[in-house]
Amino acid sequence: MFPSVTKATSKTLTEAMESSNSTYKLYYFNVHGRGEIFRILWAYGGAKWEELPIDWPAEKKLTPFQCVPVVYETTPDGTVLQICETEVIERYLAKKFNLLGKNEWEQLQIEQIQSSTEGTQYAYHLQVVKGDFEKRAENFRKFYDEHLTRFIEVHENHLKNNGSNGFYVGESLSLADIKATIFIDRMTFLRPKDVQEVVFSAEKTPNLWKVRENVHAHPNIAEWKNSQRHKELSVNTHKTLNF
Ligand SMILES: N[C@@H](CCC(=O)N[C@@H](CS)C(=O)NCC(=O)O)C(=O)O
């Protein structure tokens, strides 16, 4: 069942934000999906997390927004916070793990990239992943023309403007880099079988590729991606989405 949640105030949130020893519970399906980025952020931050059992749709109405993911954070003093909505959770965790920039301007730039990537990724989800199975290759081509070309042009430019150092903002890893890397990897991982085209590579998208390399080079992230649980999630994601 769900953890009992503390009636929180702004002070509770500030204290949780400052707690580096919190533990987390993820209520989500047994796939990468929207949970993937939290798992990577927790791995990056060296945090402990576990997955709650899920009985869907029976429990749907018991969640605050009638959808998943829902994250529970337990601080060392026993406070339990409930946090919902994917991008809000991403920003919250990124802030905790110092992945949301060194100042408000950097934060704004990181959030722009987060939002742009989320929009493109969601279009892929609707058009290709959830689109007509028989027309996946055709839908991929449409997605490529309608969304991907722009994504690549715009993001390569942003990265060039930051000095082509493999980071979207400044000189260190941020939520923007992790978000884009997940999208790049997903385009390979969830590519229709009859689409051969390589979209992202060191030759075709050098700046995005560098970002991906920087994210993959982080030892905690690399360890998570090599873990047994990550493999299980990959298998189950392919099975669930018919790839
Ligand atoms: N606005 C929500 C959307 C979440 C969402 O679409 N969740 C899907 C799973 S990825 C869901 O709950 N599907 C089950 C359902 O709607 O019954 C967010 O950003 O977290």
Side-chain angles (χ1 to χ4, degrees):
M1 239 312 116
F2 300 107
S4 17
V5 176
T6 307
K7 197 170 178 336
T9 61
S10 180
K11 186 167 168 274
T12 325
L13 186 68
T14 307
E15 283 167 3
M17 190 53 99
E18 282 162 5
S19 146
S20 53
N21 284 323
S22 289
T23 57
Y24 301 88
K25 292 186 169 78
L26 173 63
Y27 180 71
Y28 190 61
F29 301 132
N30 190 27
V31 294
H32 288 305
R34 289 174 183 271
E36 183 170 16
I37 191 157
F38 313 143
R39 296 177 181 114
I40 289 183
L41 290 171
W42 287 324
Y44 172 87
K48 286 204 173 97
W49 83 92
E50 61 182 272
E51 317 246 353
L52 290 169
I54 181 163
D55 180 8
W56 202 264
E59 293 171 338
K60 184 175 171 118
K61 291 251 159 112
L62 303 177
T63 64
F65 292 90
Q66 297 193 15
C67 63
V68 286
V70 181
V71 163
Y72 296 88
E73 173 176 0
T74 306
T75 66
D77 72 0
T79 298
V80 180
L81 286 181
Q82 183 187 52
I83 318 168
C84 307
E85 291 294 305
T86 311
E87 285 181 89
V88 174
I89 306 169
E90 287 172 9
R91 286 195 287 269
Y92 176 75
L93 294 175
K95 193 153 196 137
K96 286 203 79 160
F97 301 135
N98 296 318
L99 289 167
L100 211 52
K102 289 192 290 297
N103 53 51
E104 292 195 358
W105 176 237
E106 285 195 357
Q107 177 169 336
L108 187 139
Q109 292 176 84
I110 291 166
E111 288 176 1
Q112 286 180 168
I113 298 297
Q114 177 201 22
S115 179
S116 161
T117 308
E118 175 70 29
T120 312
Q121 185 166 280
Y122 194 54
Y124 188 71
H125 182 74
L126 292 182
Q127 230 168 324
V128 182
V129 178
K130 289 284 182 187
D132 188 346
F133 179 77
E134 304 298 327
K135 293 192 181 152
R136 266 190 179 161
E138 192 185 316
N139 290 341
F140 183 92
R141 177 49 50 202
K142 268 176 96 182
F143 169 79
Y144 193 105
D145 294 343
E146 288 168 15
H147 298 278
L148 206 48
T149 334
R150 179 180 53 179
F151 176 88
I152 290 171
E153 190 179 330
V154 164
H155 284 245
E156 281 284 319
N157 265 336
H158 276 280
L159 289 160
K160 253 185 243 157
N161 291 339
N162 194 44
S164 291
N165 61 359
F167 301 110
Y168 275 97
V169 176
E171 290 170 359
S172 57
L173 212 61
S174 74
L175 175 65
D177 306 310
I178 293 177
K179 186 89 185 170
T181 298
I182 289 174
F183 175 58
I184 294 169
D185 287 341
R186 200 167 286 189
M187 292 297 303
T188 311
F189 179 65
L190 296 181
R191 189 168 45 193
K193 286 194 175 60
D194 34 6
V195 171
Q196 306 302 329
E197 192 162 344
V198 173
V199 178
F200 296 100
S201 67
E203 291 73 34
K204 287 186 164 177
T205 55
N207 289 290
L208 282 159
W209 201 251
K210 246 189 202 172
V211 169
R212 181 184 177 275
E213 281 179 345
N214 281 339
V215 171
H216 281 242
H218 191 279
N220 291 9
I221 295 179
E223 190 186 340
W224 160 246
K225 283 187 148 269
N226 278 323
S227 70
Q228 189 50 34
R229 178 64 185 143
H230 189 275
K231 287 190 182 87
E232 279 165 25
L233 286 164
S234 297
V235 169
N236 211 43
T237 304
H238 266 170
K239 207 165 101 196
T240 307
L241 298 174
N242 211 357
F243 271 86

